[in-house]
Amino acid sequence: EHAETNARISKTLGSQRQYPLRFMPHHNSEFYEFTHNHPRCHFCRSLARPAILMFDDLNWVDNDAQEQRWHIWNESLISLCEDRAEASDEDYGKERLKICILEVGCGDRVRTCRMQSEDMLETLTERGGDVTLIRVNPDFPLADDPENSKSVISIMSRGLEAIREIDVVFRRLSKKGPCSS
């Protein structure tokens, strides 16, 4: 069977970053909610470290269960694309599985997330999915691989601003119903 895959907070006591949240904005009215909404260690109440591998991070601990959940989800999505692509007309009318990958704020310096997004776009498309990558970035919103350009919607904006605008449009479209244009 599979190893435990339930999400949980690992030990945080004594495993803080040397400079926790050092680049976060200081308190002011614009960022008030953000500065008061960080996870804390259940034991010592200090700020919990983000589960993100950073440069020179000597305290990083891999989370095997989290990686396994990622692989299970990834393989499940690929299988859904293949199943839908192979389905008969009476099942889905040969409609491919529609997938949207939303990538927010992945820059050009460390390209890991950008590469992951475009790799997923390519893999899921090859397996029969109808995939769109929405890339939100004020500086680098375009597809890295020109062959992916037709499947990338570029939004040249900052993340929160774009998410709020997408939400407004989505709510407006949801009120119209599925048959409206």
Side-chain angles (χ1 to χ4, degrees), residues 15-27:
S15 62
Q16 295 180 11
R17 295 190 180 285
Q18 185 177 1
Y19 304 104
L21 308 174
R22 66 179 167 166
F23 297 112
M24 293 302 188
H26 295 290
H27 173 74

Side-chain angles (χ1 to χ4, degrees), residues 41-73:
C41 171
H42 294 292
F43 302 102
C44 68
R45 302 304 304 153
S46 343
L47 293 175
R49 58 175 282 139
I52 299 169
L53 175 60
M54 302 296 283
F55 296 110
D56 301 321
D57 189 350
L58 302 177
N59 292 320
W60 173 256
V61 177
D62 281 329
N63 185 328
D64 294 333
Q66 179 177 323
E67 186 171 349
Q68 185 176 14
R69 285 191 305 273
W70 163 252
H71 287 296
I72 290 169
W73 177 83

Side-chain angles (χ1 to χ4, degrees), residues 169-181:
V169 171
F170 179 75
R171 288 174 189 268
R172 190 176 324 128
L173 291 173
S174 295
K175 287 179 184 176
K176 287 183 178 182
C179 298
S180 301
S181 49

Side-chain angles (χ1 to χ4, degrees), residues 115-174:
M115 292 186 314
Q116 180 70 45
S117 296
E118 289 200 34
D119 285 349
M120 283 293 288
L121 182 145
E122 293 166 9
T123 299
L124 295 171
T125 300
E126 289 167 4
R127 302 298 179 92
D130 179 8
V131 187
T132 302
L133 167 60
I134 300 175
R135 178 167 277 160
V136 179
N137 191 296
D139 302 313
F140 304 101
L142 303 176
D144 294 333
D145 182 343
E147 294 198 15
N148 290 333
S149 294
K150 65 184 181 307
S151 298
V152 176
I153 297 173
S154 300
I155 300 178
M156 197 169 189
S157 173
R158 300 191 76 60
L160 183 58
E161 176 185 325
I163 295 294
R164 285 181 174 153
E165 189 61 32
I166 289 169
D167 184 56
V168 167
V169 171
F170 179 75
R171 288 174 189 268
R172 190 176 324 128
L173 291 173
S174 295

